Amino acid sequence: MQMPFAALRSEKLGDTFLLTISLSLDYLAPAKVGDWVEGSASVLRRTGSLVFAQGLVTSSGTALLRGSGVYKIARREPFTRPDQVSP
């Protein structure tokens, strides 16, 4: 969740949402019950229609999870039910 939120915030994408094209997660170590877990994310690159991001989840300096994702920038449009679409 942090990767698309970081992209929306840092890239000032306005009234859009991001569709996940690709998501890769590498689980590196477990967290223990009671550990403080925090994550960070950053945008690597943005094109006209795609955002490439990476993220890292850590606890006490230990990397727990590494992630990378590619997201499609989609404009918000009113939802139309399939039975209401004209032929």
Side-chain angles (χ1 to χ4, degrees):
M1 293 295 294
Q2 285 191 339
M3 291 186 291
F5 284 140
L8 289 170
R9 185 177 58 249
S10 70
E11 298 298 311
K12 298 177 180 68
L13 292 173
D15 192 25
T16 62
F17 62 96
L18 299 176
L19 302 170
T20 304
I21 300 297
S22 172
L23 179 62
S24 175
L25 301 173
D26 299 317
Y27 296 95
L28 307 172
K32 296 180 186 80
V33 173
D35 282 353
W36 180 261
V37 176
E38 56 187 321
S40 62
S42 61
V43 173
L44 299 172
R45 180 169 186 248
R46 177 184 171 191
T47 67
S49 62
L50 297 175
V51 176
F52 299 81
Q54 67 180 3
L56 186 65
V57 176
T58 61
S59 177
S60 300
T62 301
L64 305 178
L65 180 134
R66 175 182 57 205
S68 64
V70 180
Y71 304 91
K72 168 97 171 117
I73 301 168
R75 304 286 173 230
R76 291 193 186 272
E77 297 177 7
F79 176 75
T80 303
R81 292 184 359 205
D83 62 340
Q84 294 178 335
V85 177
S86 58

